[in-house]
Amino acid sequence: MNKNFGLLVNGKWLKNKKTIDIFNPFDGKKISEVSSADSNQIKDSIKFAHSAFQSWSKTSAKFRSEILKKLFKLTIESKDSLSEIITLESGKPLEESKAEVEYGASFIEWAAEQALRSEGKLLESPENNKKMFYIKRPVGVVVAITPWNFPLAMVTRKVSAALAAGCTVILKPSELTPLTALKFGELAVKAGLPNGVLNIINGNPKLIGELLTKNSLVKKITFTGSTKIGKLLMKDSSSTVKNISLELGGNAPFVVFADADISNAIEGFIAAKFRNAGQTCISANRLFVEEKIFDKFLKKLVVRIKKLKIGNGFEKSDVGPLISEKAIKKIKNHIDDALSKGGEILIGGKKSKIGKLFFEPTIVTNINKSMKIFSNENFGPIIPVIKFKSDDELIQLANDTNYGLAAYFYTKKASRVWKIIENLEYGMLGINSGKISSYLNPFGGLKESGVGREGSIQCLEPFLETKFVSWSYDD
Ligand code: ADP
């Protein structure tokens, strides 16, 4: 696989001498390299996407839907090769990569179907000889900037809805995991997307970000990644008042009430915490356990965690490596900070011997609100556990964060469920379930977790403008 993968601009694969190296997080070995775009190529991608928009936006929804259906089929047919690339460049277990291909493909199929259902509305006019209505139009050239933790699904959730709506796209995948996106680009070309409708560029994120956000031909930025970069993109997009959707960091509480089914709660927690080694924005970041079952629950959790197999994603493991040295450093910093403020390690607490980027699943107790581990996303296999006594105390603690993406809670008591649904300040809730991801989920968060929603029955909406018409006539 060791070759130079190009940029996709106006239907052509361009190769540059300047490249970015791509590494396997399992052993740190170089896998391949991708071409790094220069300023002119970045500007060209905008120009070509703008010119392709003039025709793509006028195609019928049926035509766009048919191409997306072909792309869905090709994606499913390429499940093996795509999942191998995902594991190779992200390190996640192969079974998770296969699940990601199915999840990612579901957004393409769903967008193909929703393209056919886009509609305007004729309103009941208050005057004779006057019609009032609105129609929906695609916003224009869309820039999609995606992260490394779901190298396929974050691409398909954005790109397929944008294409279905009639927009053209410039995709900038993460420089850590661009190979999956490039393979997706190959499939899109094969499915029959006209030149310039989907362009894929890699390179210096700062340079690309600046050129794309400040260009007035780009009408929309859709971003998934850190809150820090989300804020920067929002600021830079303000000079041209772009339409913007942001899906940023989380700090998900996972709550176990005393009346919960403990075995289910443990399995739900393992899924929500250890998927992709804790590197998902909806990962369970803080574990809250009601006082009455605290010791019993932790005992069982430790037994369950010890059964997890840590290792190479290609060798039937449950937990893979972290993505980078930076990620390991961040976790260590969170743990040191917690220990210096009275935290205690129940299990784990250090790097694993398996490899440079592996960290042991870790439980930290005796947590207080001043610790970084309480207020920040750790994005790794680290579990701060917090004891609570009442529903009200739990609601207050769970909401004590700047983030509001996902939250999970386990209880059998129906009267409590509604109170928690209403009071937890989060965009997505899992009740007695550690899995909330679906093409049906309007994915997104409150507070500093972002702006807007992706997927769901309204998946085309972020890529459409509403045009109102008031039409008077004489005869
Ligand atoms: P993380 O810290 O988890 O890697 P980032 O927010 O840095 O998350 O990365 C998410 C995406 O944002 C990646 O595609 C990355 O290349 C891109 N990115 C990073 N910095 C910038 C920037 N200054 N402008 C535009 N995109 C950026």
Side-chain angles (χ1 to χ4, degrees), residues 29 31 47 69 134 230 232-233 243 259 289 342 373 437 442:
K29 289 197 179 131
I31 311 166
K47 205 176 76 195
K69 280 179 195 159
Y134 60 80
L232 174 74
L233 295 174
N243 179 325
D259 68 323
V289 183
I373 211 167
S437 296

Side-chain angles (χ1 to χ4, degrees), residues 39 41 124 127 159 178 181 194 205 229 232 255 265 325 332 343 370 412 417 421 433 458:
S39 303
Q41 289 168 324
E124 217 30 73
E127 296 168 46
V159 172
I229 300 299
L232 174 74
V255 184
E325 292 277 0
K332 282 174 84 178
S370 73
K412 287 185 191 143
V417 169
I421 291 177
S433 170
Q458 300 206 325

Side-chain angles (χ1 to χ4, degrees), residues 188-261:
V189 171
K190 209 167 160 189
L193 265 193
N195 291 349
V197 172
L198 173 65
N199 306 275
I200 307 179
I201 52 171
N202 287 297
N204 178 332
K206 191 165 177 289
L207 172 72
I208 296 177
E210 274 176 14
L211 289 175
L212 294 179
T213 45
K214 293 183 179 161
N215 190 301
S216 59
L217 293 180
V218 172
K219 299 299 179 203
K220 162 113 201 167
I221 305 277
T222 172
F223 171 76
T224 296
S226 63
T227 298
K228 181 176 153 217
I229 300 299
K231 286 179 180 177
L232 174 74
L233 295 174
M234 200 172 192
K235 184 166 137 266
D236 286 353
S237 298
S238 69
S239 62
T240 49
V241 194
K242 290 193 201 316
N243 179 325
I244 185 156
S245 300
L246 303 172
E247 199 259 280
L248 309 175
N251 183 4
F254 190 105
V255 184
V256 188
F257 288 97
D259 68 323
D261 177 324

Side-chain angles (χ1 to χ4, degrees), residues 322-390:
L322 297 192
I323 192 72
S324 63
E325 292 277 0
K326 195 174 119 198
I328 295 270
K329 251 193 195 160
K330 179 179 173 187
I331 287 181
K332 282 174 84 178
N333 174 276
H334 277 193
I335 291 179
D336 290 346
D337 172 74
L339 294 182
S340 74
K341 292 171 181 163
E344 288 168 16
I345 302 281
L346 185 62
I347 54 166
K350 52 185 192 310
K351 277 173 73 170
S352 154
K353 293 191 186 89
I354 291 173
K356 261 185 157 175
L357 298 185
F358 283 85
F359 206 92
E360 291 180 351
T362 298
I363 298 182
V364 191
T365 57
N366 214 19
I367 301 295
N368 65 55
K369 288 195 289 183
S370 73
M371 296 175 181
K372 289 182 187 170
I373 211 167
F374 182 89
S375 47
N376 294 283
E377 192 173 39
N378 70 61
F379 236 58
I382 313 303
I383 308 162
V385 201
I386 302 127
K387 209 181 274 182
F388 69 93
K389 285 195 185 113
S390 68

Side-chain angles (χ1 to χ4, degrees), residues 139-326:
V139 292
V141 174
V142 169
V143 164
I145 302 180
T146 54
W148 47 265
N149 59 349
F150 288 91
L152 182 70
M154 295 304 98
V155 167
T156 56
R157 191 161 70 192
K158 294 177 190 306
V159 172
S160 40
L163 297 178
C167 297
T168 53
V169 177
I170 301 163
L171 168 64
K172 195 215 86 61
S174 166
E175 63 280 15
L176 300 175
T177 58
L179 302 176
T180 310
L182 292 169
K183 173 78 184 171
F184 171 77
E186 272 177 35
L187 299 178
V189 171
K190 209 167 160 189
L193 265 193
N195 291 349
V197 172
L198 173 65
N199 306 275
I200 307 179
I201 52 171
N202 287 297
N204 178 332
K206 191 165 177 289
L207 172 72
I208 296 177
E210 274 176 14
L211 289 175
L212 294 179
T213 45
K214 293 183 179 161
N215 190 301
S216 59
L217 293 180
V218 172
K219 299 299 179 203
K220 162 113 201 167
I221 305 277
T222 172
F223 171 76
T224 296
S226 63
T227 298
K228 181 176 153 217
I229 300 299
K231 286 179 180 177
L232 174 74
L233 295 174
M234 200 172 192
K235 184 166 137 266
D236 286 353
S237 298
S238 69
S239 62
T240 49
V241 194
K242 290 193 201 316
N243 179 325
I244 185 156
S245 300
L246 303 172
E247 199 259 280
L248 309 175
N251 183 4
F254 190 105
V255 184
V256 188
F257 288 97
D259 68 323
D261 177 324
I262 304 266
S263 308
N264 278 351
I266 297 236
E267 287 316 307
F269 179 75
I270 294 288
K273 176 72 235 180
F274 290 102
R275 190 176 295 118
N276 202 8
Q279 303 173 107
T280 84
C281 48
I282 56 169
S283 180
N285 201 53
R286 294 170 296 161
L287 174 60
F288 293 93
V289 183
E290 196 169 345
E291 191 177 35
K292 281 183 233 163
I293 55 158
F294 192 81
D295 294 339
K296 184 173 144 199
F297 186 86
L298 275 198
K299 229 179 185 175
K300 286 196 169 197
L301 183 62
V302 169
V303 172
R304 179 65 181 87
I305 287 177
K306 284 188 175 159
K307 286 189 187 142
L308 292 172
K309 184 169 178 264
I310 307 168
N312 186 348
F314 286 107
E315 290 168 8
K316 286 209 171 303
S317 61
D318 302 308
V319 186
L322 297 192
I323 192 72
S324 63
E325 292 277 0
K326 195 174 119 198

